[in-house]
Each structure stands twice: as C-alpha cells, then as structure tokens.
C-alpha cells in the first residue's frame, strides 16, 4: 500500500517535471530551458509555469483511476496538492 502511494508520488513528480519542461519549451519561443525558467522567475510568472506543468498529473491520475490503482492515484493527488501549496507559498515571497 505505501509502495503504491510512493509510486504514484514519483509518477506525479516526473509528470510535473516533464510538463514544466514541455510548457517552458512551448512558451519559451525557442530559448534554452534554463533561460526560460530564469526569465519566468524574474518576470513573476514561474508559479504559473509550474502550475501548467502539473496539468500532466491529471492524465496520470485518470489513468490510475481507470486501471483501479487507487493508491497510485492517491500518490499523484498528493504530489499535485504539494505542488499547489508550493506554488502558493512561492508566490508570497
């Protein structure tokens, strides 16, 4: 059970990182990934970029739900909530 939640957390984290990379690549207009991240941080929309990256977690979540792997879906949901809280705190500072 704990192993299944951990697998879900890892899948959610990987999906979010891949989604962040994809969003930065698509919105970065051909710039280098790190340059896009730095520019997003300087211009104050890094939190929005991270949130866009979390959209891929929806896909992972619904795949796990459809396969009746509820504990893995719970792990994806946990990491998504963590990312939402992190983004909120990041915007405060």
């Amino acid at each position: 059970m704990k192993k299944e939640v951990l697998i879900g957390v890892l899948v959610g984290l990987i999906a979010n990182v891949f989604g962040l990379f994809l969003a930065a690549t698509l919105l970065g207009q051909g710039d280098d990934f790190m340059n896009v991240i730095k520019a997003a941080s300087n211009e104050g929309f890094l939190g929005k970029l991270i949130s866009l990256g979390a959209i891929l977690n929806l896909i992972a979540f619904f795949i796990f739900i459809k396969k009746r792997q509820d504990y893995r879906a719970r792990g994806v949901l946990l990491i998504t909530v963590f990312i939402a809280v992190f983004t909120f705190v990041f915007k405060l500072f």
Side-chain angles (χ1 to χ4, degrees), residues 13 23 28 37 58 70 75 77 92:
L13 190 60
I37 297 298
L58 283 172
D70 295 338
L77 185 62
L92 291 177

Side-chain angles (χ1 to χ4, degrees), residues 33-84:
F33 175 74
M34 289 307 295
N35 289 339
V36 172
I37 297 298
K38 288 177 186 175
S41 178
N42 291 338
E43 295 175 18
F45 67 90
L46 183 60
K48 294 177 184 175
L49 199 59
I50 293 171
S51 297
L52 276 174
I55 290 175
L56 288 183
N57 286 358
L58 283 172
I59 297 169
F61 178 78
F62 284 116
I63 288 172
F64 287 143
I65 291 294
K66 186 173 181 173
K67 289 184 174 183
R68 299 190 188 276
Q69 295 175 338
D70 295 338
Y71 288 108
R72 289 184 183 190
R74 185 180 295 177
V76 172
L77 185 62
L78 283 172
I79 198 69
T80 304
V81 169
F82 174 77
I83 290 166

